[in-house]
Short mmCIF file of all heavy atoms in Angstrom, two decimals:
data_model
loop_
_atom_site.label_atom_id
_atom_site.label_comp_id
_atom_site.label_asym_id
_atom_site.label_seq_id
_atom_site.Cartn_x
_atom_site.Cartn_y
_atom_site.Cartn_z
N GLY C 1 1.70 -4.34 15.70
CA GLY C 1 0.80 -3.82 14.71
C GLY C 1 1.41 -2.73 13.86
O GLY C 1 1.21 -2.67 12.55
N THR C 2 2.23 -1.93 14.49
CA THR C 2 2.98 -0.86 13.77
C THR C 2 3.94 -1.44 12.70
O THR C 2 4.09 -0.93 11.65
CB THR C 2 3.67 0.05 14.71
OG1 THR C 2 2.73 0.63 15.67
CG2 THR C 2 4.33 1.22 14.01
N ILE C 3 4.66 -2.54 13.18
CA ILE C 3 5.54 -3.19 12.30
C ILE C 3 4.79 -3.83 11.07
O ILE C 3 5.17 -3.68 9.92
CB ILE C 3 6.39 -4.32 12.98
CG1 ILE C 3 7.30 -3.62 14.04
CG2 ILE C 3 7.17 -5.14 12.06
CD1 ILE C 3 7.92 -4.61 14.97
N LEU C 4 3.72 -4.48 11.35
CA LEU C 4 2.94 -5.09 10.29
C LEU C 4 2.34 -4.08 9.25
O LEU C 4 2.42 -4.35 8.11
CB LEU C 4 1.80 -5.98 10.88
CG LEU C 4 2.21 -7.28 11.49
CD1 LEU C 4 1.00 -7.95 12.14
CD2 LEU C 4 2.79 -8.17 10.41
N TYR C 5 1.73 -3.05 9.78
CA TYR C 5 1.22 -1.97 8.87
C TYR C 5 2.34 -1.37 7.98
O TYR C 5 2.16 -1.27 6.74
CB TYR C 5 0.63 -0.84 9.70
CG TYR C 5 -0.86 -0.93 9.82
CD1 TYR C 5 -1.45 -1.90 10.65
CD2 TYR C 5 -1.69 -0.05 9.10
CE1 TYR C 5 -2.83 -1.90 10.83
CE2 TYR C 5 -3.05 -0.02 9.26
CZ TYR C 5 -3.64 -0.97 10.09
OH TYR C 5 -4.99 -1.04 10.29
N LYS C 6 3.54 -1.25 8.50
CA LYS C 6 4.63 -0.71 7.79
C LYS C 6 5.15 -1.61 6.75
O LYS C 6 5.30 -1.27 5.54
CB LYS C 6 5.83 -0.33 8.70
CG LYS C 6 7.12 0.08 8.06
CD LYS C 6 6.97 1.45 7.32
CE LYS C 6 8.36 1.91 6.81
NZ LYS C 6 8.23 3.12 6.06
N ALA C 7 5.30 -2.97 7.13
CA ALA C 7 5.81 -3.87 6.20
C ALA C 7 4.78 -4.15 5.04
O ALA C 7 5.15 -4.24 3.89
CB ALA C 7 6.07 -5.22 6.92
N HIS C 8 3.53 -4.23 5.44
CA HIS C 8 2.46 -4.41 4.37
C HIS C 8 2.42 -3.25 3.38
O HIS C 8 2.32 -3.48 2.15
CB HIS C 8 1.16 -4.58 5.07
CG HIS C 8 0.04 -4.84 4.16
ND1 HIS C 8 -0.81 -3.88 3.68
CD2 HIS C 8 -0.47 -6.04 3.51
CE1 HIS C 8 -1.72 -4.43 2.80
NE2 HIS C 8 -1.48 -5.70 2.67
N GLU C 9 2.56 -2.04 3.92
CA GLU C 9 2.60 -0.84 3.00
C GLU C 9 3.77 -0.89 2.08
O GLU C 9 3.62 -0.57 0.85
CB GLU C 9 2.60 0.39 3.85
CG GLU C 9 2.63 1.72 3.11
CD GLU C 9 2.68 2.89 4.10
OE1 GLU C 9 2.58 2.80 5.26
OE2 GLU C 9 2.95 4.03 3.46
N VAL C 10 4.87 -1.22 2.60
CA VAL C 10 6.10 -1.36 1.78
C VAL C 10 5.93 -2.35 0.64
O VAL C 10 6.30 -2.10 -0.53
CB VAL C 10 7.34 -1.60 2.61
CG1 VAL C 10 8.60 -1.93 1.72
CG2 VAL C 10 7.68 -0.48 3.54
N LEU C 11 5.37 -3.52 0.96
CA LEU C 11 5.24 -4.60 -0.02
C LEU C 11 4.23 -4.10 -1.08
O LEU C 11 4.47 -4.43 -2.33
CB LEU C 11 4.72 -5.85 0.68
CG LEU C 11 4.45 -7.08 -0.32
CD1 LEU C 11 5.80 -7.38 -1.05
CD2 LEU C 11 4.01 -8.26 0.51
N GLU C 12 3.24 -3.38 -0.77
CA GLU C 12 2.26 -2.89 -1.69
C GLU C 12 2.89 -1.93 -2.73
O GLU C 12 2.39 -1.71 -3.81
CB GLU C 12 1.02 -2.28 -1.04
CG GLU C 12 0.09 -3.29 -0.49
CD GLU C 12 -1.22 -2.66 -0.03
OE1 GLU C 12 -1.27 -1.43 0.37
OE2 GLU C 12 -2.22 -3.33 -0.06
N THR C 13 3.96 -1.22 -2.35
CA THR C 13 4.61 -0.26 -3.21
C THR C 13 5.21 -1.06 -4.49
O THR C 13 5.31 -0.45 -5.56
CB THR C 13 5.70 0.51 -2.55
OG1 THR C 13 6.78 -0.38 -2.19
CG2 THR C 13 5.22 1.34 -1.41
N LEU C 14 5.48 -2.30 -4.26
CA LEU C 14 5.93 -3.16 -5.34
C LEU C 14 4.87 -3.74 -6.19
O LEU C 14 4.96 -3.95 -7.40
CB LEU C 14 6.85 -4.25 -4.90
CG LEU C 14 8.28 -4.00 -4.57
CD1 LEU C 14 8.99 -5.46 -4.23
CD2 LEU C 14 9.01 -3.30 -5.64
N THR C 15 3.74 -4.08 -5.50
CA THR C 15 2.72 -5.03 -6.18
C THR C 15 1.52 -4.44 -6.62
O THR C 15 0.79 -5.04 -7.41
CB THR C 15 2.46 -6.18 -5.16
OG1 THR C 15 1.88 -5.61 -3.97
CG2 THR C 15 3.71 -6.98 -4.75
N LEU C 16 1.15 -3.21 -6.24
CA LEU C 16 -0.01 -2.53 -6.65
C LEU C 16 0.23 -1.46 -7.78
O LEU C 16 1.27 -0.74 -7.67
CB LEU C 16 -0.78 -1.81 -5.50
CG LEU C 16 -1.30 -2.65 -4.33
CD1 LEU C 16 -2.13 -1.80 -3.38
CD2 LEU C 16 -2.18 -3.76 -4.86
N ASP C 17 -0.66 -1.47 -8.74
CA ASP C 17 -0.51 -0.43 -9.77
C ASP C 17 -0.91 0.90 -9.21
O ASP C 17 -1.56 1.00 -8.15
CB ASP C 17 -1.32 -0.76 -11.00
CG ASP C 17 -2.85 -0.73 -10.65
OD1 ASP C 17 -3.30 -1.77 -10.11
OD2 ASP C 17 -3.45 0.27 -10.88
N LYS C 18 -0.52 1.96 -9.86
CA LYS C 18 -0.71 3.38 -9.36
C LYS C 18 -2.22 3.63 -9.10
O LYS C 18 -2.53 4.13 -8.00
CB LYS C 18 -0.22 4.34 -10.43
CG LYS C 18 -0.45 5.83 -10.04
CD LYS C 18 0.02 6.68 -11.15
CE LYS C 18 -0.41 8.15 -10.89
NZ LYS C 18 0.10 9.06 -11.94
N LEU C 19 -3.05 3.36 -9.99
CA LEU C 19 -4.52 3.70 -9.87
C LEU C 19 -5.15 2.97 -8.67
O LEU C 19 -5.85 3.55 -7.89
CB LEU C 19 -5.31 3.36 -11.13
CG LEU C 19 -5.00 4.27 -12.37
CD1 LEU C 19 -5.79 3.81 -13.59
CD2 LEU C 19 -5.25 5.74 -12.02
N THR C 20 -4.85 1.63 -8.61
CA THR C 20 -5.39 0.86 -7.45
C THR C 20 -4.85 1.37 -6.16
O THR C 20 -5.61 1.50 -5.15
CB THR C 20 -5.08 -0.62 -7.66
OG1 THR C 20 -5.64 -1.09 -8.87
CG2 THR C 20 -5.57 -1.44 -6.51
N ALA C 21 -3.54 1.65 -6.09
CA ALA C 21 -2.88 2.12 -4.88
C ALA C 21 -3.51 3.39 -4.37
O ALA C 21 -3.76 3.59 -3.12
CB ALA C 21 -1.37 2.15 -5.11
N HIS C 22 -3.68 4.31 -5.30
CA HIS C 22 -4.22 5.62 -4.93
C HIS C 22 -5.70 5.54 -4.47
O HIS C 22 -6.02 6.12 -3.51
CB HIS C 22 -4.02 6.57 -6.05
CG HIS C 22 -2.60 7.02 -6.29
ND1 HIS C 22 -2.26 8.05 -7.17
CD2 HIS C 22 -1.47 6.54 -5.76
CE1 HIS C 22 -0.93 8.21 -7.15
NE2 HIS C 22 -0.46 7.31 -6.35
N LYS C 23 -6.46 4.82 -5.20
CA LYS C 23 -7.86 4.63 -4.78
C LYS C 23 -7.99 3.92 -3.45
O LYS C 23 -8.84 4.23 -2.66
CB LYS C 23 -8.59 3.91 -5.85
CG LYS C 23 -10.15 3.70 -5.58
CD LYS C 23 -10.83 5.10 -5.25
CE LYS C 23 -10.82 5.92 -6.50
NZ LYS C 23 -11.63 7.20 -6.20
N LYS C 24 -7.05 2.96 -3.26
CA LYS C 24 -7.09 2.19 -1.97
C LYS C 24 -6.77 3.06 -0.89
O LYS C 24 -7.35 2.95 0.24
CB LYS C 24 -6.05 1.03 -2.12
CG LYS C 24 -6.12 0.11 -0.86
CD LYS C 24 -5.23 -1.11 -1.21
CE LYS C 24 -5.14 -2.01 0.04
NZ LYS C 24 -4.32 -1.48 1.02
N ARG C 25 -5.83 4.00 -0.95
CA ARG C 25 -5.58 4.92 0.10
C ARG C 25 -6.75 5.87 0.37
O ARG C 25 -7.02 6.19 1.57
CB ARG C 25 -4.34 5.76 -0.25
CG ARG C 25 -3.03 5.01 -0.28
CD ARG C 25 -1.80 5.86 -0.28
NE ARG C 25 -0.62 5.16 -0.39
CZ ARG C 25 0.06 4.96 -1.55
NH1 ARG C 25 -0.37 5.47 -2.70
NH2 ARG C 25 1.17 4.17 -1.62
N GLU C 26 -7.41 6.28 -0.67
CA GLU C 26 -8.62 7.10 -0.44
C GLU C 26 -9.71 6.31 0.41
O GLU C 26 -10.20 6.81 1.38
CB GLU C 26 -9.25 7.51 -1.75
CG GLU C 26 -8.45 8.46 -2.51
CD GLU C 26 -9.13 8.75 -3.90
OE1 GLU C 26 -10.42 8.58 -3.93
OE2 GLU C 26 -8.45 9.13 -4.85
#
């Protein structure tokens, strides 16, 4: 699970725009 969370987070740095990424983290 730790590997999957990390990998998914890294992929989102490429594919999500700033506003969506920040709101998603909130």
Side-chain angles (χ1 to χ4, degrees):
T2 302
I3 293 172
L4 283 175
Y5 261 74
K6 173 67 172 179
H8 182 264
E9 179 183 351
V10 170
L11 182 56
E12 285 192 330
T13 65
L14 277 191
T15 59
L16 294 188
D17 65 278
K18 174 184 172 181
L19 291 177
T20 301
H22 289 190
K23 181 55 65 176
K24 185 170 177 287
R25 289 193 186 101
E26 290 177 26

